[in-house]
Amino acid sequence: TFLANNGGLFGNRSANTGVSSAIQGAVVISGAVADLDTIDTGYPPFYGAHEEFDGVVPCRTETTTQFPIIMPILSGSCVITERYTSLGLPNEFFIVEGAFTHVGFSATQFQQIFDDSAAFMFEQVIEPLLSSST
């Protein structure tokens, strides 16, 4: 009842009622998906950052041993970006070649990830919105 009386799940407290709540883009740092086939045409822009030999969340498709009870097969940014490219979807990728750490980026690398992903998302998400509003 409370949600219904206050604009539903997304509420009515904002003046930005024309802004979509749909995902507009994804910036993923050392992340993965369980099934690459869930990535399909129409997906929003993707920026991934990963260490090449991350032992917690693999950059490629591998079984992770960090969860010994489940031991899931995960696909990280190395193959997510390949999937995006094969589907013609916008993506960018930052890799630390030869690194075995998990989210062990240096301050300089984090700054580059931040700057590059912000520029990429501005180009992919914000500029089209600005162009369509003129």
Side-chain angles (χ1 to χ4, degrees), residues 28-129:
V28 178
I29 297 175
S30 300
V33 296
D35 184 358
L36 278 174
D37 290 334
T38 61
I39 299 170
D40 206 348
T41 57
Y43 260 51
F46 174 84
Y47 181 97
H50 223 113
E51 291 96 343
E52 185 176 14
F53 300 112
D54 184 333
V56 176
V57 177
C59 193
R60 292 175 182 76
T61 301
E62 299 173 14
T63 301
T64 179
T65 58
Q66 296 301 309
F67 309 99
I69 296 172
I70 305 169
M71 292 183 55
I73 297 172
L74 298 174
S75 298
S77 298
C78 289
V79 290
I80 292 172
T81 55
E82 289 173 359
R83 172 80 175 169
Y84 260 72
T85 299
S86 74
L87 294 170
L89 298 170
N91 69 90
E92 270 193 26
F93 183 45
F94 178 91
I95 187 167
V96 181
E97 294 179 353
F100 287 84
T101 54
H102 174 66
V103 195
F105 302 103
S106 69
T108 301
Q109 291 166 335
F110 267 121
Q111 188 63 54
Q112 184 176 349
I113 291 166
F114 178 79
D115 292 345
D116 292 352
S117 65
F120 174 72
M121 288 300 168
F122 185 84
E123 175 186 299
Q124 295 297 318
V125 177
I126 304 302
E127 282 183 344
L129 289 174

